[in-house]
Amino acid sequence: MTEPSPDRQSSRRWAALIFIAMAQLMSALDATIVNIALPSAQRDLGFSDANRQWVITAYTLAFAALVLLGGRIADYLGRRRAFLIGLVGFAVASAVGGAAVNLGMLTGARALQGCFAALLAPTTLSLLAVMFTEPKERGKAFGVYGAIAGSGAAIGLLLGGVLAEYLNWRWCLYVNVPISAVAFTGAAILLPADRPAQRHRLDVPGALLAAAGLVSLVYGCNQAVDRGWSSGIVIGLLAASAVLLTVFVFVQSRVAEPLLPLHIVRERNRGGSYLAMGLALAGMLGLFLFLTYYFQIVLEYSPVKTGLAFLPLTLAVQLGAAGIALRFLPRVPPRTIMVPGLLAASGAMVLLANLGPGSGYVSLVLPAELLLGVGLGCVFVPAISTATQSVDPRDAGIASAVANASQQTGSSIGTALLNTIAASATAGYLADHAQQQADGTPPVAALVHGYAVAAAWGAGILATAAILTALLVNAPAPARAAERERSPQSS
């Protein structure tokens, strides 16, 4: 049987990228698509305000707990097989969630979604890492991925608003079924079969320690939103996470076949890229949280209008990823794109730190969204490319899983931290001004003050990320790195 020509192989790769991108979009937007629909689901199923957080938390906890294991499973099963299994499982979980008759069924389905997202997300990224190795092609492929990673949350808010307002909240879950079906069909036809890594044992103790440590970290950050960082429960969870993850690292340094080979995170460029992605998500997801409240409470936008208000941010991410990072990445060192991108994102947060009750969307929020989107688009493409470059194909899944874990952890910590800061600043404003509305809710001035203070902290997080990226990431331009790898072979 003859091998396909190089041109045909290349065209199949680019066609497969379409379906890989669909799967990545599905898992990215699912972190936020339910948020806007949550009030409708709560009225329909009749669960309390105290329990509604579990619809969101079930997904993030399951994702965080299993993402490292999901990456290693992809290496064991083979990326094509793991990708197809992830798509089917995610579709089934989504259908169950859409048909939920009570909170328990909905929460269980969301947890199941998180489990399959933990398999699907690292598999998606590892497929790109091994399919696109030539610098120019790799830049284009990761430009697509970076644009989706950076804008998936905003797209989820927009799509969630449209589905909740014009159809039904259940379609925020049902929508994944046709997307999965199309992606499965295309991937089954176009993705080449790959031979799984020949490993004899899975590191079960490592998997349990990583899962427990990440769950404790994410859950502790979630609890900090309501209880505060000084709560005994929050401190206990964060301390437990530190202990569990420390033991995890110790175990990984001792076992013969570790879940996470430590050389993956010890390499400075890869570790710096993981850190940049985590801190970028910490700033961005916090922005989504308080801007969503600002649009709906202060500006009194409908769910659809709220989603549309985030649309410029999505388009700006595409511009930063495809128009800037994609064009320059093959020819320049990654940090020369990442550092300015993080500084631009920090500048956007500085703009939002000037938010006031009378601030207009066009005059202040829109410029901040555009600056933030372009900046983050310039971060995700080179960071993801650098984090998965020069990885042994046998470890591509776990290297990709660490990238997803860094994003998940960063978004959880950032959302909790900035939300807590906003709430504390609002409470301090009320204490200083002795204001309270008749219904017991804070006045608009106090709420907006809290959002502005949180934005200032977000600016600091992103500026810190820029400094650390400048210090840690020193990889050469991808094209030059490829020449260095080829030169010993040609000599």
Side-chain angles (χ1 to χ4, degrees):
M1 186 175 181
T2 60
E3 289 289 326
S5 67
D7 288 344
R8 186 179 176 189
Q9 287 180 332
S10 179
S11 63
R12 286 175 67 92
R13 284 203 309 272
W14 289 109
L17 176 62
I18 296 172
F19 302 101
I20 294 171
M22 289 177 64
Q24 170 57 24
L25 176 62
M26 184 176 63
S27 60
L29 64 82
D30 224 68
T32 57
I33 192 172
V34 176
N35 290 34
I36 290 181
L38 194 55
S40 300
Q42 185 177 355
R43 287 192 300 268
D44 192 11
L45 301 182
F47 50 86
S48 67
D49 288 348
N51 287 327
R52 67 184 176 187
Q53 64 162 325
W54 289 108
V55 179
I56 307 300
T57 306
Y59 180 86
T60 58
L61 286 180
F63 194 123
L66 298 174
V67 66
L68 291 181
L69 182 60
R72 187 51 89 195
I73 288 174
D75 291 331
Y76 274 72
L77 293 180
R79 285 170 286 277
R80 181 179 183 273
R81 184 184 301 174
F83 185 72
L84 297 177
I85 291 172
L87 286 171
V88 172
F90 201 90
V92 170
S94 300
V96 172
V101 296
N102 54 44
L103 177 63
M105 185 174 175
L106 178 59
T107 302
R110 288 284 288 167
L112 193 60
Q113 277 186 312
C115 293
F116 284 102
L119 175 62
L120 197 57
T123 305
T124 299
L125 184 51
S126 64
L127 280 167
L128 296 187
V130 299
M131 288 171 60
F132 298 94
T133 55
E134 191 274 324
K136 191 171 182 180
E137 284 193 343
R138 185 181 180 87
K140 291 180 180 178
F142 279 90
V144 173
Y145 183 94
I148 292 172
S151 59
I155 294 172
L157 291 171
L158 173 60
L159 185 58
V162 171
L163 293 174
E165 188 158 331
Y166 293 111
L167 289 175
N168 186 285
W169 68 267
R170 297 179 184 276
W171 278 98
C172 293
L173 293 158
Y174 285 146
V175 70
N176 293 319
V177 177
I179 295 175
S180 295
V182 173
F184 182 96
T185 302
I189 295 171
L190 295 169
L191 285 181
D194 58 320
R195 182 175 299 177
Q198 297 299 314
R199 305 259 181 168
H200 300 290
R201 268 187 318 188
L202 191 64
D203 178 18
V204 176
L208 293 175
L209 286 167
L214 288 172
V215 165
S216 295
L217 178 60
V218 173
Y219 187 55
C221 291
N222 286 339
Q223 288 296 298
V225 174
D226 296 322
R227 299 176 183 271
W229 293 98
S230 60
S231 163
I233 292 177
V234 172
I235 292 173
L237 286 167
L238 296 181
S241 172
V243 171
L244 288 165
L245 292 177
T246 300
V247 175
F248 168 72
V249 172
F250 177 79
V251 170
Q252 298 307 283
S253 67
R254 294 291 187 271
V255 297
E257 297 175 356
L259 175 70
L260 173 60
L262 295 181
H263 66 83
I264 287 178
V265 293
R266 275 200 300 255
E267 202 277 318
R268 63 181 294 169
N269 289 293
R270 196 171 295 120
S273 297
Y274 291 147
L275 192 60
M277 284 187 283
L279 291 174
L281 263 294
M284 186 179 75
L285 267 294
L287 169 83
F288 283 146
L289 182 68
F290 65 75
L291 273 188
T292 300
Y293 289 134
Y294 180 76
F295 291 149
Q296 295 197 34
I297 295 175
V298 179
L299 300 183
E300 299 182 344
Y301 285 0
S302 68
V304 170
K305 194 172 181 180
T306 296
L308 289 172
F310 280 110
L311 186 57
L313 175 62
T314 302
L315 297 177
V317 171
Q318 311 291 336
L319 174 62
I324 299 175
L326 172 59
R327 179 170 299 180
F328 292 105
L329 179 59
R331 304 191 302 273
V332 302
R335 71 176 171 187
T336 61
I337 306 174
M338 294 166 64
V339 172
L342 287 164
L343 291 175
S346 179
M349 288 297 201
V350 171
L351 283 178
L352 290 173
N354 295 294
L355 201 65
S359 300
Y361 174 78
V362 174
S363 61
L364 181 64
V365 178
L366 179 59
E369 283 192 12
L370 295 174
L371 189 59
L372 181 74
V374 171
L376 291 180
C378 291
V379 174
F380 286 116
V381 174
I384 293 170
S385 178
T386 305
T388 57
Q389 200 162 20
S390 303
V391 177
D392 190 309
R394 293 174 300 176
D395 293 327
I398 191 62
S400 303
V402 178
N404 282 280
S406 68
Q407 295 175 51
Q408 182 67 30
T409 303
S411 63
S412 298
I413 294 174
T415 299
L417 176 63
L418 295 182
N419 194 40
T420 304
I421 289 170
S424 299
T426 295
Y429 185 97
L430 290 172
D432 291 341
H433 295 78
Q435 292 178 338
Q436 193 76 22
Q437 296 184 169
D439 62 359
T441 61
V444 167
L447 288 172
V448 175
H449 174 74
Y451 304 156
V453 172
W457 277 80
I461 292 172
L462 291 165
T464 301
I467 295 170
L468 293 174
T469 300
L471 293 174
L472 291 174
V473 178
N474 64 352
R480 182 180 297 178
E483 289 175 5
R484 288 180 180 176
E485 289 178 3
R486 286 193 297 264
S487 59
Q489 300 174 0
S490 57
S491 60

